[in-house]
């Protein structure tokens, strides 16, 4: 149990490394905040559409034909989108009553952190279980997860720092989100290891992808364009897609 815990912790801690990259800067302007929100959107879209969805489809395709596999993944993705839309609706209601940029940034920091935790929990369980079964495969998976957790940490830390002005809060929130991986892995392993199967985890991931895409398209990108002009938003999106794509290609 110690080895899977160490491996999943290594993957989670890399989220804090992303926060360090952000807070090493002297400050974050409105343009920088707009860029960071676009960056977060690019990261979420790439993880969802270039990694989670194709991998889920491949796993379903082992047990069913292509059409049914596509239906299964699409249905789960839509469920996740609706879940994200429900949360977004509550947040949008709050925004109508408070248009202050700092309040908006705090809201986006909370939404981004929550979505990343939702993503990290099943990812942590998968890393933990894989490491318990196959040490080599578990380490390789942890390295891949760690690499793409770095930009996720950047996506969390930037709005927290912008809203609070505290580097410590930005680091702590990113670190806490990263720790969802080992904690989720340990807790679920101890409580539900007899129920958690690869099929169960594969069913969760498209739902997570749906939540992430809804957050990126309906929350992060519009909020980014409200803060500054579309140029900074597009630069952020392109940068997020590029960084995450490189990480996915390397592993």
């Amino acid at each position: 149990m110690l080895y899977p815990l160490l491996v999943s912790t290594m993957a989670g801690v890399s989220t804090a490394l992303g926060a360090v990259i952000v807070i090493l800067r002297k400050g974050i302007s409105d343009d920088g905040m707009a860029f960071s929100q676009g960056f977060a959107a690019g990261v979420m879209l790439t993880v969802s559409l270039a990694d989670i969805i194709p991998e889920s489809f491949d796993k379903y395709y082992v047990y069913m034909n292509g059409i049914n596999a596509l239906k299964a993944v699409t249905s789960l993705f839509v469920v996740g989108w609706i879940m994200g839309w429900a949360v977004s609706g509550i947040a949008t209601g709050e925004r109508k009553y408070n248009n202050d940029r700092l309040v908006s940034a705090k809201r986006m920091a909370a939404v981004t952190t929550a979505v990343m935790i939702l993503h990290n929990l099943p990812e942590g369980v998968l890393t933990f279980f894989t490491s318990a079964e196959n040490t080599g495969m578990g380490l390789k998976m942890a390295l891949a997860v760690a690499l793409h957790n770095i930009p996720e940490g950047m996506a969390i830390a930037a709005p927290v720092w912008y809203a609070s002005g505290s580097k410590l809060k930005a680091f702590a929130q990113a670190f806490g989100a990263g720790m969802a991986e080992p904690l989720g892995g340990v807790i679920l392993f101890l409580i539900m290891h007899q129920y958690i199967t690869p099929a169960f985890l594969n069913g969760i991931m498209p739902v997570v992808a749906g939540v992430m895409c809804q957050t990126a398209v309906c929350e992060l990108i519009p909020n980014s364009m409200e803060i500054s002009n579309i140029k900074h938003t597009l630069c952020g999106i392109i940068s997020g897609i590029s960084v995450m794509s490189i990480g996915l290609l390397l592993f």
Side-chain angles (χ1 to χ4, degrees):
M1 179 144 175
L2 179 61
Y3 178 76
L5 178 60
L6 289 174
V7 169
S8 57
T9 300
M10 179 191 72
V13 166
S14 62
T15 307
L17 178 58
V20 171
I21 294 173
V22 170
I23 63 181
L24 284 177
R25 297 170 57 88
K26 293 182 178 180
I28 183 166
S29 63
D30 288 349
D31 291 344
M33 180 60 181
F35 176 89
S36 73
Q37 295 292 273
F39 181 88
V43 167
M44 289 186 186
L45 290 171
T46 306
V47 169
S48 299
L49 302 179
D51 184 29
I52 295 176
I53 295 300
E55 183 176 346
S56 295
F57 175 83
D58 288 343
K59 289 180 178 178
Y60 275 115
Y61 190 54
V62 173
Y63 305 102
M64 57 186 71
N65 62 47
I67 297 297
N68 288 335
L70 182 61
K71 287 180 179 178
V73 173
T74 302
S75 299
L76 292 166
F77 179 88
V78 171
V79 169
W81 185 283
I82 293 171
M83 290 172 59
W85 172 78
V87 174
S88 178
I90 297 172
T92 301
E94 293 177 357
R95 181 167 54 188
K96 289 178 181 178
Y97 294 101
N98 208 326
N99 292 319
D100 183 79
R101 283 188 176 182
L102 290 181
V103 173
S104 180
K106 288 179 181 178
R107 180 177 59 81
M108 291 314 305
V111 169
T112 302
T113 303
V115 170
M116 291 304 185
I117 289 174
L118 180 64
H119 172 228
N120 285 346
L121 281 171
E123 191 173 68
V125 173
L126 189 59
T127 302
F128 192 95
F129 275 55
T130 303
S131 300
E133 294 293 328
N134 186 318
T135 56
M137 183 63 69
L139 181 60
K140 181 179 179 181
M141 177 176 291
L143 289 173
V145 170
L147 188 62
H148 82 246
N149 275 356
I150 294 174
E152 289 179 5
M154 296 169 66
I156 293 170
V160 176
W161 186 21
Y162 179 87
S164 67
S166 171
K167 293 183 178 182
L168 180 59
K169 285 184 179 179
F171 177 84
Q173 199 150 321
F175 180 80
M179 287 302 96
E181 295 209 0
L183 289 177
V186 171
I187 291 171
L188 290 178
F189 182 83
L190 293 175
I191 298 175
M192 300 179 62
H193 65 275
Q194 67 270 35
Y195 303 110
I196 296 177
T197 64
F200 174 78
L201 291 173
N202 191 51
I204 291 176
M205 296 311 292
V207 176
V208 173
V211 174
M212 293 177 76
C213 286
Q214 195 282 333
T215 301
V217 173
C218 300
E219 284 288 322
L220 292 172
I221 293 175
N223 192 69
S224 174
M225 291 190 292
E226 286 179 7
I227 296 172
S228 184
N229 59 55
I230 193 172
K231 177 180 70 175
H232 297 96
T233 301
L234 289 175
C235 287
I237 293 171
I238 293 170
S239 297
I241 291 172
S242 300
V243 170
M244 189 56 68
S245 296
I246 291 171
L248 294 176
L249 287 173
L250 289 176
F251 289 89

